[in-house]
PDB file of all heavy atoms in Angstrom:
ATOM      1  N   SER A   1     -15.107  -3.858  -1.232  1.00 97.00           N
ATOM      2  CA  SER A   1     -14.200  -3.266  -2.218  1.00 97.00           C
ATOM      3  C   SER A   1     -12.773  -3.351  -1.706  1.00 97.00           C
ATOM      4  O   SER A   1     -12.536  -3.436  -0.493  1.00 97.00           O
ATOM      5  CB  SER A   1     -14.581  -1.810  -2.508  1.00 97.00           C
ATOM      6  OG  SER A   1     -14.606  -1.055  -1.312  1.00 97.00           O
ATOM      7  N   SER A   2     -11.819  -3.332  -2.624  1.00 98.00           N
ATOM      8  CA  SER A   2     -10.414  -3.500  -2.259  1.00 98.00           C
ATOM      9  C   SER A   2      -9.851  -2.231  -1.621  1.00 98.00           C
ATOM     10  O   SER A   2     -10.184  -1.110  -2.020  1.00 98.00           O
ATOM     11  CB  SER A   2      -9.591  -3.847  -3.495  1.00 98.00           C
ATOM     12  OG  SER A   2      -9.982  -5.099  -4.013  1.00 98.00           O
ATOM     13  N   LEU A   3      -8.975  -2.430  -0.656  1.00 98.00           N
ATOM     14  CA  LEU A   3      -8.270  -1.319  -0.043  1.00 98.00           C
ATOM     15  C   LEU A   3      -7.187  -0.803  -0.987  1.00 98.00           C
ATOM     16  O   LEU A   3      -6.599  -1.567  -1.754  1.00 98.00           O
ATOM     17  CB  LEU A   3      -7.621  -1.773   1.264  1.00 98.00           C
ATOM     18  CG  LEU A   3      -8.547  -2.367   2.327  1.00 98.00           C
ATOM     19  CD1 LEU A   3      -7.729  -2.908   3.490  1.00 98.00           C
ATOM     20  CD2 LEU A   3      -9.553  -1.330   2.806  1.00 98.00           C
ATOM     21  N   ARG A   4      -6.925   0.477  -0.915  1.00 98.00           N
ATOM     22  CA  ARG A   4      -5.802   1.072  -1.650  1.00 98.00           C
ATOM     23  C   ARG A   4      -4.580   1.002  -0.747  1.00 98.00           C
ATOM     24  O   ARG A   4      -4.474   1.736   0.238  1.00 98.00           O
ATOM     25  CB  ARG A   4      -6.118   2.517  -2.034  1.00 98.00           C
ATOM     26  CG  ARG A   4      -7.359   2.654  -2.927  1.00 98.00           C
ATOM     27  CD  ARG A   4      -7.561   4.092  -3.382  1.00 98.00           C
ATOM     28  NE  ARG A   4      -7.688   5.026  -2.264  1.00 98.00           N
ATOM     29  CZ  ARG A   4      -8.806   5.260  -1.597  1.00 98.00           C
ATOM     30  NH1 ARG A   4      -9.928   4.607  -1.917  1.00 98.00           N
ATOM     31  NH2 ARG A   4      -8.826   6.140  -0.603  1.00 98.00           N
ATOM     32  N   LEU A   5      -3.662   0.104  -1.065  1.00 97.00           N
ATOM     33  CA  LEU A   5      -2.493  -0.104  -0.225  1.00 97.00           C
ATOM     34  C   LEU A   5      -1.512   1.058  -0.362  1.00 97.00           C
ATOM     35  O   LEU A   5      -1.364   1.646  -1.430  1.00 97.00           O
ATOM     36  CB  LEU A   5      -1.820  -1.425  -0.586  1.00 97.00           C
ATOM     37  CG  LEU A   5      -2.709  -2.679  -0.455  1.00 97.00           C
ATOM     38  CD1 LEU A   5      -1.922  -3.932  -0.775  1.00 97.00           C
ATOM     39  CD2 LEU A   5      -3.331  -2.778   0.938  1.00 97.00           C
ATOM     40  N   SER A   6      -0.851   1.391   0.747  1.00 98.00           N
ATOM     41  CA  SER A   6       0.062   2.531   0.786  1.00 98.00           C
ATOM     42  C   SER A   6       0.956   2.385   2.013  1.00 98.00           C
ATOM     43  O   SER A   6       0.938   1.357   2.692  1.00 98.00           O
ATOM     44  CB  SER A   6      -0.733   3.839   0.869  1.00 98.00           C
ATOM     45  OG  SER A   6      -1.425   3.916   2.107  1.00 98.00           O
ATOM     46  N   ASP A   7       1.714   3.442   2.333  1.00 97.00           N
ATOM     47  CA  ASP A   7       2.552   3.409   3.533  1.00 97.00           C
ATOM     48  C   ASP A   7       1.722   3.317   4.804  1.00 97.00           C
ATOM     49  O   ASP A   7       2.210   2.845   5.837  1.00 97.00           O
ATOM     50  CB  ASP A   7       3.425   4.674   3.600  1.00 97.00           C
ATOM     51  CG  ASP A   7       4.518   4.688   2.556  1.00 97.00           C
ATOM     52  OD1 ASP A   7       4.816   3.603   1.993  1.00 97.00           O
ATOM     53  OD2 ASP A   7       5.073   5.774   2.288  1.00 97.00           O
ATOM     54  N   SER A   8       0.467   3.755   4.749  1.00 98.00           N
ATOM     55  CA  SER A   8      -0.396   3.739   5.933  1.00 98.00           C
ATOM     56  C   SER A   8      -1.447   2.629   5.892  1.00 98.00           C
ATOM     57  O   SER A   8      -2.223   2.476   6.837  1.00 98.00           O
ATOM     58  CB  SER A   8      -1.086   5.093   6.109  1.00 98.00           C
ATOM     59  OG  SER A   8      -1.872   5.404   4.976  1.00 98.00           O
ATOM     60  N   VAL A   9      -1.480   1.875   4.800  1.00 98.00           N
ATOM     61  CA  VAL A   9      -2.419   0.750   4.650  1.00 98.00           C
ATOM     62  C   VAL A   9      -1.648  -0.415   4.047  1.00 98.00           C
ATOM     63  O   VAL A   9      -1.331  -0.418   2.857  1.00 98.00           O
ATOM     64  CB  VAL A   9      -3.615   1.103   3.744  1.00 98.00           C
ATOM     65  CG1 VAL A   9      -4.566  -0.088   3.637  1.00 98.00           C
ATOM     66  CG2 VAL A   9      -4.345   2.331   4.266  1.00 98.00           C
ATOM     67  N   SER A  10      -1.340  -1.392   4.880  1.00 98.00           N
ATOM     68  CA  SER A  10      -0.498  -2.491   4.410  1.00 98.00           C
ATOM     69  C   SER A  10      -0.883  -3.786   5.104  1.00 98.00           C
ATOM     70  O   SER A  10      -1.336  -3.781   6.254  1.00 98.00           O
ATOM     71  CB  SER A  10       0.975  -2.164   4.692  1.00 98.00           C
ATOM     72  OG  SER A  10       1.817  -3.212   4.273  1.00 98.00           O
ATOM     73  N   SER A  11      -0.706  -4.893   4.422  1.00 98.00           N
ATOM     74  CA  SER A  11      -0.976  -6.199   5.011  1.00 98.00           C
ATOM     75  C   SER A  11       0.187  -6.624   5.898  1.00 98.00           C
ATOM     76  O   SER A  11       1.291  -6.062   5.818  1.00 98.00           O
ATOM     77  CB  SER A  11      -1.189  -7.235   3.906  1.00 98.00           C
ATOM     78  OG  SER A  11      -0.017  -7.344   3.112  1.00 98.00           O
ATOM     79  N   ILE A  12      -0.057  -7.610   6.736  1.00 98.00           N
ATOM     80  CA  ILE A  12       0.999  -8.172   7.572  1.00 98.00           C
ATOM     81  C   ILE A  12       0.987  -9.684   7.400  1.00 98.00           C
ATOM     82  O   ILE A  12      -0.087 -10.308   7.386  1.00 98.00           O
ATOM     83  CB  ILE A  12       0.817  -7.774   9.054  1.00 98.00           C
ATOM     84  CG1 ILE A  12       1.986  -8.302   9.888  1.00 98.00           C
ATOM     85  CG2 ILE A  12      -0.528  -8.236   9.607  1.00 98.00           C
ATOM     86  CD1 ILE A  12       2.037  -7.726  11.292  1.00 98.00           C
ATOM     87  N   PRO A  13       2.151 -10.311   7.248  1.00 98.00           N
ATOM     88  CA  PRO A  13       2.184 -11.766   7.073  1.00 98.00           C
ATOM     89  C   PRO A  13       1.819 -12.501   8.358  1.00 98.00           C
ATOM     90  O   PRO A  13       2.054 -12.001   9.467  1.00 98.00           O
ATOM     91  CB  PRO A  13       3.637 -12.039   6.667  1.00 98.00           C
ATOM     92  CG  PRO A  13       4.409 -10.883   7.186  1.00 98.00           C
ATOM     93  CD  PRO A  13       3.493  -9.705   7.136  1.00 98.00           C
ATOM     94  N   LEU A  14       1.253 -13.684   8.193  1.00 98.00           N
ATOM     95  CA  LEU A  14       0.892 -14.517   9.339  1.00 98.00           C
ATOM     96  C   LEU A  14       2.120 -15.256   9.850  1.00 98.00           C
ATOM     97  O   LEU A  14       2.989 -15.666   9.082  1.00 98.00           O
ATOM     98  CB  LEU A  14      -0.173 -15.538   8.927  1.00 98.00           C
ATOM     99  CG  LEU A  14      -1.441 -15.000   8.274  1.00 98.00           C
ATOM    100  CD1 LEU A  14      -2.401 -16.155   7.974  1.00 98.00           C
ATOM    101  CD2 LEU A  14      -2.107 -13.945   9.139  1.00 98.00           C
ATOM    102  N   ALA A  15       2.185 -15.428  11.153  1.00 98.00           N
ATOM    103  CA  ALA A  15       3.292 -16.165  11.764  1.00 98.00           C
ATOM    104  C   ALA A  15       3.284 -17.615  11.306  1.00 98.00           C
ATOM    105  O   ALA A  15       2.223 -18.235  11.183  1.00 98.00           O
ATOM    106  CB  ALA A  15       3.189 -16.091  13.279  1.00 98.00           C
ATOM    107  N   GLU A  16       4.462 -18.150  11.067  1.00 97.00           N
ATOM    108  CA  GLU A  16       4.603 -19.562  10.707  1.00 97.00           C
ATOM    109  C   GLU A  16       4.622 -20.446  11.946  1.00 97.00           C
ATOM    110  O   GLU A  16       4.225 -21.607  11.897  1.00 97.00           O
ATOM    111  CB  GLU A  16       5.890 -19.765   9.910  1.00 97.00           C
ATOM    112  CG  GLU A  16       5.939 -19.032   8.580  1.00 97.00           C
ATOM    113  CD  GLU A  16       4.967 -19.619   7.572  1.00 97.00           C
ATOM    114  OE1 GLU A  16       4.569 -20.785   7.742  1.00 97.00           O
ATOM    115  OE2 GLU A  16       4.609 -18.910   6.613  1.00 97.00           O
ATOM    116  N   SER A  17       5.114 -19.898  13.059  1.00 98.00           N
ATOM    117  CA  SER A  17       5.184 -20.647  14.310  1.00 98.00           C
ATOM    118  C   SER A  17       4.953 -19.703  15.471  1.00 98.00           C
ATOM    119  O   SER A  17       5.152 -18.480  15.350  1.00 98.00           O
ATOM    120  CB  SER A  17       6.547 -21.333  14.450  1.00 98.00           C
ATOM    121  OG  SER A  17       7.593 -20.380  14.429  1.00 98.00           O
ATOM    122  N   SER A  18       4.530 -20.238  16.586  1.00 97.00           N
ATOM    123  CA  SER A  18       4.271 -19.420  17.771  1.00 97.00           C
ATOM    124  C   SER A  18       5.593 -18.926  18.345  1.00 97.00           C
ATOM    125  O   SER A  18       6.552 -19.692  18.443  1.00 97.00           O
ATOM    126  CB  SER A  18       3.522 -20.234  18.824  1.00 97.00           C
ATOM    127  OG  SER A  18       2.344 -20.787  18.286  1.00 97.00           O
ATOM    128  N   PRO A  19       5.688 -17.653  18.722  1.00 97.00           N
ATOM    129  CA  PRO A  19       6.939 -17.144  19.287  1.00 97.00           C
ATOM    130  C   PRO A  19       7.252 -17.787  20.630  1.00 97.00           C
ATOM    131  O   PRO A  19       6.351 -18.182  21.373  1.00 97.00           O
ATOM    132  CB  PRO A  19       6.679 -15.644  19.427  1.00 97.00           C
ATOM    133  CG  PRO A  19       5.199 -15.510  19.479  1.00 97.00           C
ATOM    134  CD  PRO A  19       4.651 -16.619  18.638  1.00 97.00           C
ATOM    135  N   ALA A  20       8.534 -17.872  20.933  1.00 97.00           N
ATOM    136  CA  ALA A  20       8.968 -18.480  22.184  1.00 97.00           C
ATOM    137  C   ALA A  20       8.630 -17.586  23.369  1.00 97.00           C
ATOM    138  O   ALA A  20       8.491 -16.357  23.237  1.00 97.00           O
ATOM    139  CB  ALA A  20      10.469 -18.739  22.131  1.00 97.00           C
ATOM    140  N   SER A  21       8.519 -18.191  24.532  1.00 97.00           N
ATOM    141  CA  SER A  21       8.301 -17.439  25.757  1.00 97.00           C
ATOM    142  C   SER A  21       9.410 -16.403  25.928  1.00 97.00           C
ATOM    143  O   SER A  21      10.591 -16.689  25.709  1.00 97.00           O
ATOM    144  CB  SER A  21       8.301 -18.404  26.947  1.00 97.00           C
ATOM    145  OG  SER A  21       8.219 -17.705  28.162  1.00 97.00           O
ATOM    146  N   GLY A  22       9.033 -15.192  26.277  1.00 98.00           N
ATOM    147  CA  GLY A  22       9.992 -14.114  26.446  1.00 98.00           C
ATOM    148  C   GLY A  22      10.217 -13.266  25.222  1.00 98.00           C
ATOM    149  O   GLY A  22      10.858 -12.213  25.295  1.00 98.00           O
ATOM    150  N   SER A  23       9.699 -13.706  24.075  1.00 98.00           N
ATOM    151  CA  SER A  23       9.862 -12.934  22.840  1.00 98.00           C
ATOM    152  C   SER A  23       9.142 -11.587  22.957  1.00 98.00           C
ATOM    153  O   SER A  23       8.028 -11.520  23.478  1.00 98.00           O
ATOM    154  CB  SER A  23       9.291 -13.696  21.647  1.00 98.00           C
ATOM    155  OG  SER A  23       9.984 -14.905  21.435  1.00 98.00           O
ATOM    156  N   PRO A  24       9.763 -10.500  22.467  1.00 98.00           N
ATOM    157  CA  PRO A  24       9.096  -9.196  22.509  1.00 98.00           C
ATOM    158  C   PRO A  24       7.988  -9.125  21.464  1.00 98.00           C
ATOM    159  O   PRO A  24       8.080  -9.719  20.388  1.00 98.00           O
ATOM    160  CB  PRO A  24      10.221  -8.216  22.190  1.00 98.00           C
ATOM    161  CG  PRO A  24      11.189  -9.014  21.378  1.00 98.00           C
ATOM    162  CD  PRO A  24      11.122 -10.419  21.908  1.00 98.00           C
ATOM    163  N   ALA A  25       6.939  -8.392  21.779  1.00 98.00           N
ATOM    164  CA  ALA A  25       5.808  -8.225  20.869  1.00 98.00           C
ATOM    165  C   ALA A  25       5.176  -6.868  21.125  1.00 98.00           C
ATOM    166  O   ALA A  25       5.438  -6.224  22.146  1.00 98.00           O
ATOM    167  CB  ALA A  25       4.785  -9.344  21.066  1.00 98.00           C
ATOM    168  N   THR A  26       4.351  -6.427  20.193  1.00 98.00           N
ATOM    169  CA  THR A  26       3.594  -5.188  20.377  1.00 98.00           C
ATOM    170  C   THR A  26       2.134  -5.448  20.074  1.00 98.00           C
ATOM    171  O   THR A  26       1.794  -6.284  19.225  1.00 98.00           O
ATOM    172  CB  THR A  26       4.103  -4.062  19.457  1.00 98.00           C
ATOM    173  OG1 THR A  26       4.011  -4.474  18.094  1.00 98.00           O
ATOM    174  CG2 THR A  26       5.546  -3.698  19.787  1.00 98.00           C
ATOM    175  N   VAL A  27       1.261  -4.722  20.754  1.00 97.00           N
ATOM    176  CA  VAL A  27      -0.173  -4.794  20.497  1.00 97.00           C
ATOM    177  C   VAL A  27      -0.684  -3.365  20.390  1.00 97.00           C
ATOM    178  O   VAL A  27      -0.213  -2.470  21.092  1.00 97.00           O
ATOM    179  CB  VAL A  27      -0.907  -5.597  21.597  1.00 97.00           C
ATOM    180  CG1 VAL A  27      -0.699  -4.993  22.972  1.00 97.00           C
ATOM    181  CG2 VAL A  27      -2.385  -5.726  21.282  1.00 97.00           C
ATOM    182  N   SER A  28      -1.618  -3.149  19.486  1.00 97.00           N
ATOM    183  CA  SER A  28      -2.107  -1.787  19.230  1.00 97.00           C
ATOM    184  C   SER A  28      -3.625  -1.757  19.142  1.00 97.00           C
ATOM    185  O   SER A  28      -4.268  -2.781  18.884  1.00 97.00           O
ATOM    186  CB  SER A  28      -1.490  -1.242  17.936  1.00 97.00           C
ATOM    187  OG  SER A  28      -1.659  -2.148  16.855  1.00 97.00           O
ATOM    188  N   GLY A  29      -4.180  -0.566  19.351  1.00 96.00           N
ATOM    189  CA  GLY A  29      -5.624  -0.422  19.250  1.00 96.00           C
ATOM    190  C   GLY A  29      -6.117   0.873  19.857  1.00 96.00           C
ATOM    191  O   GLY A  29      -5.329   1.719  20.288  1.00 96.00           O
ATOM    192  N   TRP A  30      -7.432   1.019  19.880  1.00 95.00           N
ATOM    193  CA  TRP A  30      -8.093   2.229  20.386  1.00 95.00           C
ATOM    194  C   TRP A  30      -8.878   1.943  21.657  1.00 95.00           C
ATOM    195  O   TRP A  30      -9.797   2.681  22.005  1.00 95.00           O
ATOM    196  CB  TRP A  30      -9.033   2.782  19.324  1.00 95.00           C
ATOM    197  CG  TRP A  30      -8.352   3.322  18.113  1.00 95.00           C
ATOM    198  CD1 TRP A  30      -7.871   4.595  17.939  1.00 95.00           C
ATOM    199  CD2 TRP A  30      -8.097   2.640  16.880  1.00 95.00           C
ATOM    200  NE1 TRP A  30      -7.326   4.735  16.683  1.00 95.00           N
ATOM    201  CE2 TRP A  30      -7.451   3.549  16.009  1.00 95.00           C
ATOM    202  CE3 TRP A  30      -8.340   1.335  16.418  1.00 95.00           C
ATOM    203  CZ2 TRP A  30      -7.052   3.211  14.719  1.00 95.00           C
ATOM    204  CZ3 TRP A  30      -7.937   0.985  15.141  1.00 95.00           C
ATOM    205  CH2 TRP A  30      -7.307   1.916  14.296  1.00 95.00           C
ATOM    206  N   GLY A  31      -8.521   0.915  22.363  1.00 89.00           N
ATOM    207  CA  GLY A  31      -9.288   0.533  23.538  1.00 89.00           C
ATOM    208  C   GLY A  31      -9.054   1.451  24.724  1.00 89.00           C
ATOM    209  O   GLY A  31      -8.319   2.443  24.651  1.00 89.00           O
ATOM    210  N   ALA A  32      -9.704   1.103  25.843  1.00 78.00           N
ATOM    211  CA  ALA A  32      -9.617   1.910  27.055  1.00 78.00           C
ATOM    212  C   ALA A  32      -8.192   1.929  27.589  1.00 78.00           C
ATOM    213  O   ALA A  32      -7.433   0.985  27.405  1.00 78.00           O
ATOM    214  CB  ALA A  32     -10.573   1.361  28.107  1.00 78.00           C
ATOM    215  N   VAL A  33      -7.833   3.023  28.260  1.00 71.00           N
ATOM    216  CA  VAL A  33      -6.478   3.172  28.795  1.00 71.00           C
ATOM    217  C   VAL A  33      -6.363   2.605  30.200  1.00 71.00           C
ATOM    218  O   VAL A  33      -5.309   2.705  30.826  1.00 71.00           O
ATOM    219  CB  VAL A  33      -6.036   4.652  28.773  1.00 71.00           C
ATOM    220  CG1 VAL A  33      -5.959   5.146  27.337  1.00 71.00           C
ATOM    221  CG2 VAL A  33      -6.997   5.519  29.591  1.00 71.00           C
ATOM    222  N   GLY A  34      -7.430   1.992  30.691  1.00 65.00           N
ATOM    223  CA  GLY A  34      -7.432   1.353  31.995  1.00 65.00           C
ATOM    224  C   GLY A  34      -8.789   0.725  32.246  1.00 65.00           C
ATOM    225  O   GLY A  34      -9.765   1.014  31.559  1.00 65.00           O
ATOM    226  N   TYR A  35      -8.835  -0.154  33.215  1.00 62.00           N
ATOM    227  CA  TYR A  35     -10.072  -0.860  33.533  1.00 62.00           C
ATOM    228  C   TYR A  35     -11.171   0.135  33.885  1.00 62.00           C
ATOM    229  O   TYR A  35     -11.007   1.005  34.734  1.00 62.00           O
ATOM    230  CB  TYR A  35      -9.810  -1.805  34.699  1.00 62.00           C
ATOM    231  CG  TYR A  35     -10.959  -2.729  35.020  1.00 62.00           C
ATOM    232  CD1 TYR A  35     -11.605  -3.448  34.015  1.00 62.00           C
ATOM    233  CD2 TYR A  35     -11.373  -2.896  36.335  1.00 62.00           C
ATOM    234  CE1 TYR A  35     -12.648  -4.307  34.318  1.00 62.00           C
ATOM    235  CE2 TYR A  35     -12.414  -3.756  36.647  1.00 62.00           C
ATOM    236  CZ  TYR A  35     -13.050  -4.452  35.630  1.00 62.00           C
ATOM    237  OH  TYR A  35     -14.088  -5.307  35.929  1.00 62.00           O
ATOM    238  N   HIS A  36     -12.325   0.044  33.180  1.00 66.00           N
ATOM    239  CA  HIS A  36     -13.474   0.930  33.372  1.00 66.00           C
ATOM    240  C   HIS A  36     -13.153   2.384  33.017  1.00 66.00           C
ATOM    241  O   HIS A  36     -13.812   3.301  33.507  1.00 66.00           O
ATOM    242  CB  HIS A  36     -13.999   0.859  34.805  1.00 66.00           C
ATOM    243  CG  HIS A  36     -14.834  -0.362  35.069  1.00 66.00           C
ATOM    244  ND1 HIS A  36     -15.687  -0.917  34.131  1.00 66.00           N
ATOM    245  CD2 HIS A  36     -14.941  -1.140  36.178  1.00 66.00           C
ATOM    246  CE1 HIS A  36     -16.279  -1.969  34.658  1.00 66.00           C
ATOM    247  NE2 HIS A  36     -15.844  -2.136  35.891  1.00 66.00           N
ATOM    248  N   GLN A  37     -12.137   2.614  32.180  1.00 66.00           N
ATOM    249  CA  GLN A  37     -11.821   3.965  31.735  1.00 66.00           C
ATOM    250  C   GLN A  37     -12.254   4.166  30.290  1.00 66.00           C
ATOM    251  O   GLN A  37     -12.731   3.255  29.629  1.00 66.00           O
ATOM    252  CB  GLN A  37     -10.325   4.242  31.916  1.00 66.00           C
ATOM    253  CG  GLN A  37      -9.889   4.234  33.380  1.00 66.00           C
ATOM    254  CD  GLN A  37      -8.474   4.728  33.559  1.00 66.00           C
ATOM    255  OE1 GLN A  37      -7.995   5.602  32.837  1.00 66.00           O
ATOM    256  NE2 GLN A  37      -7.786   4.160  34.552  1.00 66.00           N
ATOM    257  N   GLN A  38     -12.078   5.382  29.793  1.00 74.00           N
ATOM    258  CA  GLN A  38     -12.537   5.746  28.461  1.00 74.00           C
ATOM    259  C   GLN A  38     -11.673   5.123  27.368  1.00 74.00           C
ATOM    260  O   GLN A  38     -10.501   4.818  27.572  1.00 74.00           O
ATOM    261  CB  GLN A  38     -12.515   7.267  28.299  1.00 74.00           C
ATOM    262  CG  GLN A  38     -13.483   8.003  29.216  1.00 74.00           C
ATOM    263  CD  GLN A  38     -14.930   7.690  28.891  1.00 74.00           C
ATOM    264  OE1 GLN A  38     -15.320   7.670  27.722  1.00 74.00           O
ATOM    265  NE2 GLN A  38     -15.735   7.442  29.915  1.00 74.00           N
ATOM    266  N   LEU A  39     -12.282   4.954  26.179  1.00 80.00           N
ATOM    267  CA  LEU A  39     -11.514   4.531  25.020  1.00 80.00           C
ATOM    268  C   LEU A  39     -10.559   5.640  24.611  1.00 80.00           C
ATOM    269  O   LEU A  39     -10.808   6.820  24.850  1.00 80.00           O
ATOM    270  CB  LEU A  39     -12.442   4.210  23.849  1.00 80.00           C
ATOM    271  CG  LEU A  39     -13.501   3.125  24.050  1.00 80.00           C
ATOM    272  CD1 LEU A  39     -14.227   2.889  22.733  1.00 80.00           C
ATOM    273  CD2 LEU A  39     -12.881   1.848  24.560  1.00 80.00           C
ATOM    274  N   SER A  40      -9.459   5.253  23.976  1.00 85.00           N
ATOM    275  CA  SER A  40      -8.511   6.230  23.469  1.00 85.00           C
ATOM    276  C   SER A  40      -9.047   6.841  22.177  1.00 85.00           C
ATOM    277  O   SER A  40      -9.620   6.148  21.338  1.00 85.00           O
ATOM    278  CB  SER A  40      -7.164   5.570  23.203  1.00 85.00           C
ATOM    279  OG  SER A  40      -6.259   6.497  22.625  1.00 85.00           O
ATOM    280  N   ARG A  41      -8.848   8.138  21.984  1.00 80.00           N
ATOM    281  CA  ARG A  41      -9.283   8.803  20.754  1.00 80.00           C
ATOM    282  C   ARG A  41      -8.287   8.587  19.619  1.00 80.00           C
ATOM    283  O   ARG A  41      -8.637   8.726  18.448  1.00 80.00           O
ATOM    284  CB  ARG A  41      -9.470  10.295  21.005  1.00 80.00           C
ATOM    285  CG  ARG A  41     -10.612  10.597  21.972  1.00 80.00           C
ATOM    286  CD  ARG A  41     -10.830  12.094  22.096  1.00 80.00           C
ATOM    287  NE  ARG A  41     -11.952  12.391  22.990  1.00 80.00           N
ATOM    288  CZ  ARG A  41     -12.388  13.609  23.254  1.00 80.00           C
ATOM    289  NH1 ARG A  41     -11.777  14.661  22.698  1.00 80.00           N
ATOM    290  NH2 ARG A  41     -13.395  13.791  24.064  1.00 80.00           N
ATOM    291  N   SER A  42      -7.027   8.290  19.981  1.00 91.00           N
ATOM    292  CA  SER A  42      -6.004   8.055  18.961  1.00 91.00           C
ATOM    293  C   SER A  42      -5.395   6.673  19.156  1.00 91.00           C
ATOM    294  O   SER A  42      -5.494   6.072  20.235  1.00 91.00           O
ATOM    295  CB  SER A  42      -4.916   9.135  19.029  1.00 91.00           C
ATOM    296  OG  SER A  42      -4.265   9.092  20.286  1.00 91.00           O
ATOM    297  N   LEU A  43      -4.753   6.181  18.123  1.00 96.00           N
ATOM    298  CA  LEU A  43      -4.190   4.838  18.131  1.00 96.00           C
ATOM    299  C   LEU A  43      -3.052   4.732  19.131  1.00 96.00           C
ATOM    300  O   LEU A  43      -2.158   5.580  19.174  1.00 96.00           O
ATOM    301  CB  LEU A  43      -3.694   4.492  16.725  1.00 96.00           C
ATOM    302  CG  LEU A  43      -3.130   3.096  16.501  1.00 96.00           C
ATOM    303  CD1 LEU A  43      -4.177   2.030  16.812  1.00 96.00           C
ATOM    304  CD2 LEU A  43      -2.641   2.959  15.064  1.00 96.00           C
ATOM    305  N   LEU A  44      -3.081   3.681  19.945  1.00 95.00           N
ATOM    306  CA  LEU A  44      -2.053   3.428  20.941  1.00 95.00           C
ATOM    307  C   LEU A  44      -1.360   2.101  20.649  1.00 95.00           C
ATOM    308  O   LEU A  44      -1.942   1.188  20.074  1.00 95.00           O
ATOM    309  CB  LEU A  44      -2.653   3.375  22.349  1.00 95.00           C
ATOM    310  CG  LEU A  44      -3.382   4.617  22.856  1.00 95.00           C
ATOM    311  CD1 LEU A  44      -3.944   4.363  24.251  1.00 95.00           C
ATOM    312  CD2 LEU A  44      -2.452   5.822  22.874  1.00 95.00           C
ATOM    313  N   GLU A  45      -0.112   2.011  21.090  1.00 96.00           N
ATOM    314  CA  GLU A  45       0.663   0.778  20.960  1.00 96.00           C
ATOM    315  C   GLU A  45       1.389   0.538  22.280  1.00 96.00           C
ATOM    316  O   GLU A  45       1.777   1.478  22.966  1.00 96.00           O
ATOM    317  CB  GLU A  45       1.673   0.906  19.817  1.00 96.00           C
ATOM    318  CG  GLU A  45       2.516  -0.339  19.592  1.00 96.00           C
ATOM    319  CD  GLU A  45       3.584  -0.124  18.534  1.00 96.00           C
ATOM    320  OE1 GLU A  45       4.415   0.797  18.719  1.00 96.00           O
ATOM    321  OE2 GLU A  45       3.603  -0.869  17.535  1.00 96.00           O
TER     322      GLU A  45
END
């Protein structure tokens, strides 16, 4: 079923080209906060 888009649910466009070396970027998720540590309960970036 389709998502209801809003301020908290939005699509992101795909990159047209690979960013150059040194370009700033962000990555987000709920993964572990360190090697062999627990998953995060809240979203991290």
Side-chain angles (χ1 to χ4, degrees):
S1 56
S2 295
L3 303 174
R4 300 185 302 277
L5 302 183
S6 66
D7 289 343
S8 59
V9 181
S10 179
S11 61
I12 184 168
L14 306 182
E16 297 291 339
S17 59
S18 305
S21 174
S23 297
T26 58
V27 59
S28 51
W30 292 273
V33 296
Y35 187 48
H36 282 324
Q37 295 189 33
Q38 295 294 316
L39 301 185
S40 176
R41 294 185 178 182
S42 62
L43 183 60
L44 300 178
E45 181 185 58

